[in-house]
Amino acid sequence: IGSLISKYSVDLKLQFLGYDVSLPTALLLVFFVSRVFKLTRGISDVNRLPGMRIPFQPLAAPGALIPTSWWNPGLRFPWLWRYTFYKRYQNENVSMIPFISGIPGIYTSNLDVARQVAGGGHKSNFIKPQSASRALLLWGMNLVAADGDIWRKHRRIMGPAFNSKLYQMVWTETLETYREMILAENWESKDTIDVPVIQKLTFKLALLIIGKCGFGFSFNWTAPPTAPDGSLSVQEALRIVADTHMLAIAVPKWILALPFQKFKETRQAHDQLMKFMRGQVSERKADISNQDSAKGDKNDAFTLLVKANEDEESKLKLDDQELVYEDYNSLNKVLAVFYESLRMFPAGHILIREATEDTVLQIPNPPGQDGSTPFPVPKGTQVMVDMVGVQYNPRYFDEPEKYKPSRWYSISSRRFATTEAVAFLTMLLRDWRVEPMLKEGETKEAWQERVLDAHLVLTLGVADVPLRFTKRIRK
């Protein structure tokens, strides 16, 4: 087509504002004018809210695939610009208007705005757009990706499983898994242990606890779950799936089928994980249908979900002593450490909502000024709750750049993740002193600058953290 245009465009002239122009020039002019109209319309849709005027939408291709720079925010800008982005515009709400591809959006670091768009409820004018949940729908509909009635259905099924019995199980299994780790990793006989990447241990711990308490699987630190043919551990498959989820979302299936090692590894991990989960579903269905008392009386979340699905009368049926638990509430400082870490590195760093109709948000006035200002939001406009921005907002957290667990000393929570974290951290810090693993001549401040960066895959986490553990001397 390009060759034909070049061949014949010499003789083909068009009139533009009284001037003769060639066909390629005319096409460029049309494209330019259309992008100006797109930009103008986008600015109007966000009511001229200050912000960035950019070529591409940050959360969609190609903008999401291009590194963060002054002209392209990219995926990492909420983290990389967390200290400067909202200050630059002197506003807790900033617009992003793409003029080449993508739709206009509003990023907010204000909790009141977050509650209005993400609070849910029967009368909410905002939904989770399906395009924003594609990464979470690779395995089918789920509680995180669902919205409206579908979300309420999933929530009613899962709710009964999250009770005090489950949290007691999480506490007990975490302590047992910690002991397994100490023995399996041969820590018992050592006074000092260097761990170049602590996430390898914490990821394995999380997988085992979720497997034991969330799904009722029986495995331990030395015998992690494996795929049906034994070729790949579930832990490794989960890691690969998490690291390559952008490939699975953005790249067409025919490209993933090409014989490249990276694509082959991605396909294998996805297929093995799917086979493993389907096998577990079939096994649990058989246990329940056979009324196997030894297996059918499990109270883990997975078993209750399968039971609800197999209950034909159910309206909720879906488509296919060192430490004791009672010590939990007295360990508020350990819980505070966990919460402050989550504040600085929020896993769910972006919440995307889309207006289903023309609506109005009440934008709180700047700190020191009472009241709020109405802000019209047209149908189809996306509002992104920037949780990194919220957690680093001085309105809510004094000196947000500093690590201060004392912010959370009065907070109490008893949930799956916090129960696991408090149990593991308490045992670990009781037995070991934790220090940064420094390079030669490196200070702790330099280590912090080098190491404490965000790693963005399916969620936001910490980059590889090297730590040194020194055994405490018991008195």
Side-chain angles (χ1 to χ4, degrees):
I1 294 175
S3 299
L4 290 174
I5 290 175
S6 300
K7 181 178 180 180
Y8 294 107
S9 61
V10 176
D11 299 324
L12 181 59
K13 301 291 183 181
L14 300 175
Q15 287 286 320
F16 184 80
L17 298 178
Y19 295 93
D20 288 336
V21 296
S22 64
L23 179 58
T25 302
L27 292 175
L28 285 174
L29 285 171
V30 169
F31 177 77
F32 176 78
V33 171
S34 70
R35 296 308 90 186
V36 171
F37 276 118
K38 176 178 173 60
L39 178 61
T40 304
R41 186 172 62 250
I43 293 174
S44 175
D45 285 345
V46 298
N47 292 287
R48 301 186 178 278
L49 182 70
M52 297 187 71
R53 310 314 179 223
I54 51 181
F56 312 112
Q57 185 179 353
L59 298 179
L65 304 177
I66 301 174
T68 299
S69 62
W70 64 269
W71 62 271
N72 181 76
L75 280 178
R76 286 174 56 83
F77 90 87
W79 172 259
L80 295 176
W81 299 346
R82 62 193 181 281
Y83 299 125
T84 60
F85 182 62
Y86 296 97
K87 287 182 180 179
R88 184 192 314 169
Y89 299 98
Q90 298 183 341
N91 202 319
E92 295 173 329
N93 305 280
V94 176
S95 64
M96 288 276 192
I97 313 298
F99 53 82
I100 292 183
S101 69
I103 61 177
I106 298 170
Y107 283 77
T108 182
S109 62
N110 185 278
L111 269 179
D112 289 289
V113 175
R115 293 188 185 100
Q116 293 175 62
V117 303
H122 293 282
K123 297 183 180 180
S124 175
N125 294 325
F126 291 88
I127 62 169
K128 301 175 187 176
Q130 189 168 352
S131 59
S133 301
R134 287 181 62 193
L136 303 169
L137 292 172
L138 289 175
W139 307 95
M141 186 53 67
N142 56 78
L143 189 63
V144 178
D147 205 7
D149 291 338
I150 297 176
W151 180 88
R152 283 183 279 276
K153 178 187 290 186
H154 280 260
R155 182 66 181 86
R156 285 195 296 268
I157 292 173
M158 297 303 298
F162 291 86
N163 51 47
S164 59
K165 288 185 178 180
L166 177 64
Y167 302 144
Q168 173 73 63
M169 184 194 304
V170 171
W171 184 271
T172 303
E173 292 292 350
T174 301
L175 298 186
E176 181 60 30
T177 304
Y178 170 80
R179 298 186 187 99
E180 291 174 1
M181 181 194 77
I182 295 298
L183 293 174
E185 301 293 333
N186 199 28
W187 284 23
E188 191 70 28
S189 60
K190 299 177 182 178
D191 293 328
T192 302
I193 296 101
D194 287 343
V195 181
V197 183
I198 190 61
Q199 288 93 331
K200 290 185 177 180
L201 296 181
T202 56
F203 182 83
K204 187 172 182 178
L205 171 78
L207 173 65
L208 292 175
I209 299 303
I210 291 173
K212 291 179 179 181
C213 303
F215 293 87
F217 300 159
S218 57
F219 42 70
N220 54 48
W221 193 270
T222 56
T226 58
D229 60 2
S231 60
L232 192 68
S233 73
V234 172
Q235 176 185 343
E236 182 66 7
L238 273 173
R239 183 195 63 77
I240 295 171
V241 168
D243 288 347
T244 61
H245 81 283
M246 285 299 295
L247 278 176
I249 297 168
V251 177
K253 290 184 178 180
W254 66 269
I255 293 182
L256 286 177
L258 295 176
F260 296 112
Q261 181 61 30
K262 184 74 171 180
F263 294 167
K264 181 180 178 181
E265 186 180 68
T266 300
R267 294 194 308 271
Q268 181 187 19
H270 186 280
D271 292 345
Q272 295 286 27
L273 202 55
M274 181 66 77
K275 289 177 182 178
F276 177 79
M277 293 306 300
R278 285 176 175 167
Q280 292 298 322
V281 170
S282 298
E283 181 181 314
R284 204 61 54 87
K285 283 182 177 180
D287 293 341
I288 293 170
S289 62
N290 295 332
Q291 295 183 341
D292 188 331
S293 59
K295 298 181 179 180
D297 292 336
K298 292 182 178 180
N299 290 316
D300 58 85
F302 187 54
T303 298
L304 292 179
L305 178 61
V306 176
K307 281 182 178 179
N309 197 50
E310 293 302 288
D311 182 2
E312 295 182 352
E313 302 300 323
S314 174
K315 295 180 181 180
L316 303 178
K317 187 170 182 178
L318 301 174
D319 297 330
D320 257 30
Q321 294 302 332
E322 297 171 23
L323 273 174
V324 294
Y325 181 55
E326 286 68 23
D327 291 328
Y328 179 93
N329 288 331
S330 65
L331 298 169
N332 62 312
K333 290 188 177 180
V334 179
L335 182 62
V337 167
F338 180 70
Y339 275 142
E340 181 67 352
S341 301
L342 284 181
R343 181 192 70 80
M344 299 191 78
F345 292 87
H349 62 290
I350 289 286
L351 305 178
I352 305 175
R353 297 295 185 269
E354 185 174 302
T356 57
E357 58 185 58
D358 293 346
T359 186
V360 176
L361 290 174
Q362 295 298 324
I363 306 293
N365 291 330
Q369 301 179 24
D370 295 332
S372 60
T373 302
F375 184 85
V377 177
K379 177 182 178 180
T381 302
Q382 288 190 352
V383 179
M384 274 63 69
V385 179
D386 175 11
M387 291 307 300
V388 175
V390 170
Q391 308 287 41
Y392 284 82
N393 189 338
R395 184 197 286 260
Y396 310 117
F397 300 99
D398 180 48
E399 296 182 308
E401 72 283 357
K402 293 185 178 180
Y403 180 74
K404 297 168 65 174
S406 57
R407 309 176 199 272
W408 307 97
Y409 281 175
S410 61
I411 303 296
S412 178
S413 174
R414 190 172 296 197
R415 296 181 178 178
F416 194 110
T418 55
T419 303
E420 173 191 349
V422 169
F424 181 75
L425 287 174
T426 301
M427 293 291 288
L428 186 69
L429 296 176
R430 185 201 66 172
D431 297 339
W432 302 87
R433 187 170 67 252
V434 183
E435 299 172 323
M437 207 170 109
L438 304 175
K439 293 182 177 180
E440 185 176 354
E442 188 177 37
T443 64
K444 289 185 178 180
E445 291 72 22
W447 177 91
Q448 182 175 342
E449 184 69 22
R450 172 174 64 89
V451 168
L452 294 186
D453 191 14
H455 178 55
L456 183 61
V457 281
L458 187 57
T459 58
L460 185 145
V462 190
D464 294 349
V465 178
L467 294 175
R468 172 168 293 158
F469 296 89
T470 304
K471 185 177 292 184
R472 295 184 186 275
I473 300 174
R474 298 273 187 98
K475 294 182 179 180

